[in-house]
Amino acid sequence: MLQKKQPLLFVFFRNRLVLPLAALAVFLSASPAYSLTFVSSSPAANEIKAAANVKLVVTFGETLDPSAKGNIFIHGAVSGSHTAASAVSGTKITFTPSPAFTPGEKVTVTLKDGNGISMSSPKIWQFSVATPVTGINFIDSGKSIGVSDSRDAAIGDFDRDGDFDVFVASAGNNTLRNDGKGNFTAESGTIGAGSNGVAVGDLDGDGDSDAFVANNGGNKVWKNESGAFQDSGQTLGNSDSRGVALGDVDGDGDLDAFVANYGGNRLWLNQGNGTFSDSGQVPGTSDSNNVALGDVDNDGDLDAVAADSDTVKIWINQNGVFQKNEKELETDGNNVALG
């Protein structure tokens, strides 16, 4: 025996079938999708005295779903990537990073759409962790380590033992291991050669600090494998590269590389696993010596300041595309830092 089906009630408009009434009711009762309004972050962008155990608090203009977790990416320049537990209270979401940050390091934070937080575009900001100061009095340690033709250096806890080690860019790159008391020992062997600049950060998302090296004739990515650096096999570009800065310039939660070149800077985008692709952008054609990344216009993304041989240029990030600011600083640039 055939079961009698319930009749469907349809809606007609000017003699045309529009929608079953039941479906229309579901459509009308659905909550409209909207993006939250970002109000503020704590620590604020460019804060220079954040505590090592600071909690990140983001405030929106609307009340949040209590079950929201947020989609956040946290990179310490020395400590690497951090996980973070989250908790919602009204219009605020609080993230508790783990482990704690390293005193003196710069931290890059990317908050993206997802996990209960609806955002029309990512929000990116940086802050620096305070260093306890009991007085400033630098003295020469009397120690000379490594080769004399050194051109750049970057610090990070490469062996995860809680102290600062050093990656030295030189004619033959090397790492210096810290014994925890400021006594450094040069590792045997070299890590590539002919390098002018280096920046370290967690490029492949495994929690430790890798190295992006600016070379003559092709940049290299060295991945940290249990404290030992291994060649990733990538050779990026063929220009005479002088310096490099790492930061999340496209808002996808990983560290990209802005490279200062002679004859045209280049932007290399990280695919999330330490593999880089050419963005196709060539910000400037001058001879650049170095570059720094930071939110110079306070719009929630990372801009670039390049030290060129004839001047210092500011490149404004417009949704991942860098546009030159009309103003140039009237000075010859050999190096640059933001703070």
Side-chain angles (χ1 to χ4, degrees), residues 116-133:
I117 301 294
S118 178
M119 302 179 66
S120 59
S121 61
K123 183 71 175 180
I124 306 166
W125 71 98
Q126 294 178 320
F127 61 87
S128 296
V129 182
T131 301
V133 177

Side-chain angles (χ1 to χ4, degrees), residues 16-317:
R16 291 186 178 182
L17 177 64
V18 178
L19 196 68
L21 188 59
L24 180 63
V26 172
F27 174 78
L28 293 176
S29 64
S31 299
Y34 63 91
S35 295
L36 296 169
T37 305
F38 179 92
V39 174
S40 65
S41 65
S42 176
N46 303 320
E47 167 65 46
I48 61 173
K49 294 183 178 180
N53 61 348
V54 66
K55 294 183 179 182
L56 312 183
V57 182
V58 179
T59 302
F60 292 95
E62 299 80 19
T63 300
L64 302 176
D65 183 338
S67 65
K69 300 296 182 183
N71 195 15
I72 196 167
F73 300 84
I74 305 170
H75 296 275
V78 175
S79 56
S81 296
H82 294 250
T83 59
S86 62
V88 169
S89 177
T91 61
K92 300 178 184 292
I93 183 167
T94 300
F95 299 95
T96 303
S98 178
F101 298 115
T102 302
E105 74 173 333
K106 179 174 285 187
V107 179
T108 300
V109 182
T110 301
L111 183 62
K112 295 175 56 180
D113 181 82
N115 291 338
I117 301 294
S118 178
M119 302 179 66
S120 59
S121 61
K123 183 71 175 180
I124 306 166
W125 71 98
Q126 294 178 320
F127 61 87
S128 296
V129 182
T131 301
V133 177
T134 57
I136 301 175
N137 183 27
F138 288 97
I139 60 174
D140 188 350
S141 68
K143 300 174 183 178
S144 297
I145 308 171
V147 298
S148 58
D149 188 18
S150 300
R151 298 162 190 173
D152 199 7
I155 60 174
D157 186 6
F158 305 139
D159 50 10
R160 309 299 291 273
D161 64 351
D163 54 35
F164 289 148
D165 308 303
V166 184
F167 191 112
V168 180
S170 62
N173 304 325
N174 203 351
T175 54
L176 308 177
R177 301 292 178 171
N178 191 344
D179 67 355
K181 299 179 181 179
N183 300 311
F184 291 89
T185 302
E187 294 281 283
S188 60
T190 58
I191 309 171
S195 301
N196 296 308
V198 60
V200 299
D202 185 9
L203 303 179
D204 53 5
D206 64 353
D208 53 25
S209 293
D210 311 296
F212 192 109
V213 181
N215 287 337
N216 293 324
N219 306 305
K220 300 291 290 186
V221 176
W222 294 87
K223 293 189 177 182
N224 188 343
E225 301 292 345
S226 301
F229 285 91
Q230 305 291 332
D231 188 350
S232 69
Q234 301 175 71
T235 301
L236 307 174
N238 54 15
S239 300
D240 183 5
S241 300
R242 296 288 169 166
V244 57
L246 299 176
D248 185 8
V249 301
D250 55 2
D252 63 353
D254 53 31
L255 296 178
D256 310 300
F258 194 116
V259 179
N261 287 333
Y262 266 32
N265 305 315
R266 300 301 292 266
L267 178 63
W268 298 91
L269 299 179
N270 193 341
Q271 303 306 302
N273 59 358
T275 300
F276 288 81
S277 63
D278 189 350
S279 70
Q281 298 184 55
V282 183
T285 57
S286 300
D287 292 341
S288 298
N289 296 306
N290 216 330
V291 62
L293 294 175
D295 187 6
V296 300
D297 56 359
N298 199 33
D299 66 347
D301 55 25
L302 298 183
D303 311 297
V305 180
D308 292 355
S309 296
D310 56 349
T311 187
V312 175
K313 293 186 175 67
I314 300 172
W315 294 89
I316 300 299
N317 189 343

